[in-house]
Each structure stands twice: as structure tokens, then as C-alpha cells.
Amino acid sequence: MGQAREVMDRLTDAVTTHPDLRTLGELYAEDAVAVTPDGGEIHGRDGIVEYWRQMTDAIPDGTYESVHAYEVGDTAIDEGFFSGHNTGPIQLPSGETIPATQKEIKIRGVDFATVRDGKIVEYRLYFDEMEFLGQLGLLPPS
């Protein structure tokens, strides 16, 4: 296992099994960039840690089920399912907050972490935001 895979596995653990914002901060380079469907492009370690804080606050019992895990050079790639219950408020990009729905979610996603000198310098997360909102019951009836 290479460095990128080890750092990605620590990231997954710090978001799900053992939520830990301090560990999350230690995993990202100060000038890291993250791209997510719901947060857009986030510049800097502090902004990325804030993104994860909002996610772990909204779904504190989040778990991850791996489907595929790869490492190519300095990049780790994961595909899997993120599951949990929405028991905390959801912060929208607009700054609005939605109260917890108490609904269970299970969404498939893929993420990429490019690592240099033991730190994530670029992170990309992909998941179907409409599926996520639908499972939370936040979409109008069709």
C-alpha cells in the first residue's frame, strides 16, 4: 500500500468510523483544493475541514462501504456507499440551514485524493446530489 492509499483510508476513517476534525485537518495540505457536488470548489485546509464538519454534524453516524479501492501513482480512488441518518442540521451553500429530517440515506459516490508529502493537495468527490436530497425528503413530489 502506498502513501496515497494510506492517507485516503485515514480520511475515510476520520469522516465515518471515528469522526475527528483535527485528524481531517492534519490530512490536508494548507493550500489544498477540494471539489464537491454540494460545496463546489473549496480552497484551503480550513474550508475543507469546515465542509467535513458540516457533513459529520448532519450525519454523525455515517458509515462507508467500499466497492472499489485503487491507487494510481500519487492518487487514491474510492468508490462506495456512504450511509447514515440525518440527525443534525444541513447547511446549504447559500448559508441557510435545514433542520434534520431524521431520514436514512445511502448514496453511492467516488472520491479521488492526490497526495504529496503525506498531505492531500487535491480532493474530488462525486455523488448524485439529487438522490441525496430525494432520500432526505427535500425534493418536491414528482
Side-chain angles (χ1 to χ4, degrees):
M1 172 170 46
Q3 185 179 61
R5 178 81 261 147
E6 187 266 332
V7 171
M8 178 72 101
D9 290 345
R10 288 178 55 212
L11 171 66
T12 301
D13 185 67
V15 171
T16 58
T17 310
H18 303 100
D20 183 346
L21 296 177
R22 188 178 68 193
T23 296
L24 284 167
E26 293 169 358
L27 294 173
Y28 284 92
E30 189 174 328
D31 61 349
V33 176
V35 178
T36 71
D38 52 343
E41 191 168 299
I42 306 164
H43 293 267
R45 174 190 301 141
D46 293 344
I48 296 167
V49 170
E50 176 60 16
Y51 172 82
W52 287 122
R53 184 200 60 75
Q54 291 171 14
M55 181 64 77
T56 58
D57 283 356
I59 305 171
D61 68 344
T63 62
Y64 180 74
E65 174 190 345
S66 179
V67 175
H68 297 286
Y70 305 101
E71 183 177 47
V72 180
D74 62 358
T75 301
I77 306 158
D78 281 347
E79 176 185 4
F81 290 94
F82 177 76
S83 303
H85 296 85
N86 173 225
T87 58
I90 299 169
Q91 181 117 18
L92 300 176
S94 67
E96 270 183 278
T97 301
I98 297 172
T101 65
Q102 307 303 320
K103 303 235 182 208
E104 185 174 358
I105 59 106
K106 182 174 184 178
I107 54 173
R108 186 178 207 128
V110 175
D111 58 341
F112 299 77
T114 300
V115 175
R116 290 196 192 95
D117 299 323
K119 304 282 186 190
I120 300 169
V121 294
E122 184 179 342
Y123 178 78
R124 294 177 311 283
L125 172 64
Y126 300 95
F127 63 87
D128 186 333
E129 194 172 5
M130 295 303 282
E131 179 182 11
F132 178 59
L133 294 172
Q135 288 181 25
L136 291 172
L138 298 174
L139 294 179
S142 50

